[in-house]
Amino acid sequence: MTQRIPRVLIVGGGYVGMFVALRLQRKLRRYEARVTVADLDSYMTYQPFLPEAAAGSVEPRHVVVFLRRVLPGCEILSGRVTRVDLASRSADFEPYEGPGRRLEYDYLVFAPGSVSRTLPIPGLAECGIGFKTLEEAIHLRNHVLAKLDLVASTTDERVRRRALAFVFVGGGFAGVEALAELEDMATEACRYFPAIRPWDMRWTLVEASDKILPEVGAEMGEWTAEQLRGRGIEVRTNTLLRSAENHHIVLSDGDEFDADTLVWTAGVRPNPLVRSGDLPLDAHDRVKVDACLVVEGTSFAFAAGDCAAVPDLTRPGETTPANAQHAVRQAGRLADNLLATLRGGRREPYVHRSAGSVASLGLYKGVANIYGHKVRGFPAWLLHRAYHLSKVPTFNKKTRIMVDWTLGFFFRREIVSLGAMQDPRQEFEFAARSGHREARERPPAHSGAARLGG
């Protein structure tokens, strides 16, 4: 009688999911377990490089890792997990098309990540865009460059002002880096638009608290704000977005103006999937886990990353921040603890003291706070690139990103808006509609004109 092979289900193919699967793939003995990874996308996105991808410093395809390529020993399912049930050790899965199915498991790794944390602000859902996915980064690049094309082609002053107003809400890493990189790109692009000067553009950063980039400390955050203001960027702290209806921006400080671009980066919240089953949650909808990353009340389920409340043993009573630095390291500890559980061994707690933070502020500009050492300007920018390059998975992607950067030293980045990517069928539909119109206007074959022509 053959022994049944245990099944490991990994929900989510992001930092935690992919790195856990990679480690299990490398360390599992033959027939020791079967690993399935289920995620809406078939690739993992290295989010710290999204601002550079949006600005054209890195090719977008180089910041994503194709799961089927790096995980040949795992089963990859592309679709949406809609429910996770601990009691029955099963999960409901829906592919892009066709009937759903139930996935049974012996061990669970729950890591669906997070989604943008939005607020019920009038007009936000209709006019705003996030900055968490590669698709959003590419869209913003095309959108910003398309606005420059529009302004260079119109004489309507109201249209020009609205098109050249760019608003970013959220003064954390995502908001500051996205704004800084895109402003840097747009300023460089102005050399190709004689009708647009850099100071014609209005870039605004809106932050509800009294400082930006709290991750790098108050002093470096203030230095960053001064640098951005020196570039003509409005940094508005202690300010809220009140409304964005019809692209009319209303701020809590009383200012109002029209803006075609509204980017929302004001934090994240756990993926709504956490509430779909019987997972134990804390007050912030994060899955409760112990220091060994085991889901509370179980011995077979694990969770980590943005959706988990992981105890921070270096700061008793607190949980680890939701960032890539912790997610990647938690993945390694989680995989080893799962292996220990499979083999009847001892699980180890997750312990990591934050090394600090680095941020890019555009080409050759950055800010960093590493183990208490404050670095700014070009050295910080180099640290940012070196650190994140070391964390990008696979030698293939590291090499491709290095090539992108090397070419960037010798050639200017491409300033092209591929607007048709947002609606690729637009041109074909125009041709089809005009073809139908011409057919209706053409005289029928039996008309007098047709007979005379014959």
Side-chain angles (χ1 to χ4, degrees):
M1 183 176 177
T2 59
Q3 186 176 2
R4 179 175 170 277
I5 300 175
R7 293 161 297 189
V8 178
L9 173 63
I10 301 177
V11 177
Y15 294 117
V16 175
M18 191 198 74
F19 281 107
V20 168
L22 277 172
R23 201 172 184 93
L24 292 178
Q25 181 178 257
R26 187 171 68 251
K27 292 192 170 187
L28 280 171
R29 305 181 188 120
R30 193 176 185 186
Y31 303 125
E32 189 173 17
R34 187 176 67 213
V35 179
T36 297
V37 180
D39 192 81
L40 196 60
D41 297 318
S42 60
Y43 56 84
M44 173 266 198
T45 303
Y46 191 73
Q47 291 183 348
F49 279 150
L50 286 183
E52 291 203 41
S57 297
V58 173
E59 165 62 39
R61 291 174 300 171
H62 298 167
V63 303
V64 295
V65 179
F66 186 42
L67 295 179
R68 297 181 188 278
R69 180 173 184 175
V70 299
L71 299 173
C74 303
E75 178 187 25
I76 309 297
L77 300 179
S78 296
R80 188 182 297 277
V81 174
T82 59
R83 178 182 172 84
V84 173
D85 191 67
L86 298 177
S88 63
R89 297 201 188 190
S90 66
D92 294 336
F93 173 79
E94 294 181 358
Y96 286 108
E97 289 188 23
R101 54 191 281 203
R102 174 155 289 193
L103 306 175
E104 296 182 343
Y105 60 82
D106 298 289
Y107 298 94
L108 172 70
V109 177
F110 188 78
S114 59
V115 298
S116 295
R117 176 172 56 85
T118 58
L119 297 174
I121 297 172
L124 176 61
E126 295 76 19
C127 302
I129 184 173
F131 199 78
K132 276 185 61 63
T133 68
L134 183 63
E135 292 82 0
E136 288 171 331
I138 294 173
H139 168 80
L140 274 174
R141 171 182 170 79
N142 290 332
H143 175 80
V144 170
L145 293 175
K147 293 305 170 185
L148 299 185
D149 280 328
L150 168 63
V151 171
S153 307
T154 184
T155 57
D156 189 315
E157 192 57 36
R158 180 176 174 275
V159 171
R160 288 172 58 90
R161 284 197 305 271
R162 176 171 168 155
L164 292 178
F166 307 95
V167 179
F168 288 69
V169 181
F173 274 123
V176 171
E177 289 191 307
L179 181 150
E181 290 282 356
L182 285 167
E183 186 273 341
D184 196 51
M185 176 199 71
T187 298
E188 181 180 339
C190 284
R191 69 174 61 243
Y192 305 108
F193 297 88
I196 306 174
R197 297 160 299 181
W199 52 88
D200 291 334
M201 298 184 290
R202 180 178 184 178
W203 296 82
T204 305
L205 177 64
V206 178
E207 167 56 36
S209 69
D210 60 351
K211 55 183 174 293
I212 66 171
L213 282 188
E215 300 89 348
V216 298
E219 179 185 339
M220 299 306 285
E222 183 57 38
W223 180 85
T224 301
E226 292 174 2
Q227 296 300 305
L228 296 178
R229 290 187 177 112
R231 289 159 57 174
I233 299 170
E234 300 175 25
V235 179
R236 301 193 177 195
T237 54
N238 296 311
T239 305
L240 302 173
L241 174 66
R242 294 296 191 196
S243 173
E245 290 183 293
N246 299 316
H247 290 278
H248 182 69
I249 306 299
V250 180
L251 303 179
S252 62
D253 61 6
D255 196 10
E256 298 184 28
F257 56 93
D258 290 338
D260 278 345
T261 307
L262 173 62
V263 184
W264 181 267
T265 62
V268 297
R269 61 184 175 91
N271 191 300
L273 178 61
V274 299
R275 304 183 66 181
S276 66
D278 55 357
L279 292 161
L281 305 179
D282 70 358
H284 302 287
D285 279 349
R286 297 175 301 179
V287 180
K288 294 180 181 179
V289 299
D290 63 19
C292 295
L293 307 175
V294 179
V295 175
E296 187 178 277
T298 76
S299 60
F300 58 88
F302 300 79
D306 293 357
C307 69
V310 180
D312 191 341
L313 299 186
T314 68
R315 301 180 302 164
E318 298 187 37
T319 56
T320 58
N323 59 35
Q325 181 180 158
H326 281 286
V328 172
R329 288 173 171 81
Q330 287 170 8
R333 173 49 51 206
L334 191 158
D336 289 344
N337 283 345
L338 197 158
L339 286 168
T341 303
L342 269 169
R343 298 166 182 172
R346 178 187 175 191
R347 295 189 287 256
E348 298 289 339
Y350 170 75
V351 184
H352 173 67
R353 186 177 299 277
S354 178
S357 302
V358 292
S360 171
L361 303 178
L363 207 55
Y364 311 129
K365 300 175 283 288
V367 61
N369 190 338
I370 308 296
Y371 293 116
H373 298 287
K374 301 177 179 62
V375 188
R376 60 193 72 183
F378 183 74
W381 177 79
L382 282 179
L383 275 174
H384 171 269
R385 285 198 162 184
Y387 172 78
H388 285 299
L389 183 67
S390 71
K391 299 303 179 185
V392 171
T394 80
F395 180 74
N396 177 0
K397 295 301 179 181
K398 294 180 193 291
T399 302
R400 291 179 183 275
I401 290 172
M402 275 297 297
V403 170
D404 288 342
W405 287 344
T406 303
L407 291 174
F409 280 112
F410 299 100
F411 304 100
R412 297 189 183 278
R413 51 187 160 194
E414 290 291 338
I415 306 294
V416 180
S417 169
L418 300 177
M421 291 180 65
Q422 315 303 133
D423 189 3
R425 298 190 68 252
Q426 184 179 31
E427 188 67 21
F428 182 80
E429 290 174 351
F430 171 76
R433 286 195 301 268
S434 61
H436 290 322
R437 185 168 58 251
E438 291 174 2
R440 288 195 303 269
E441 294 172 353
R442 187 181 301 122
H446 62 274
S447 68
R451 290 196 299 270
L452 289 174

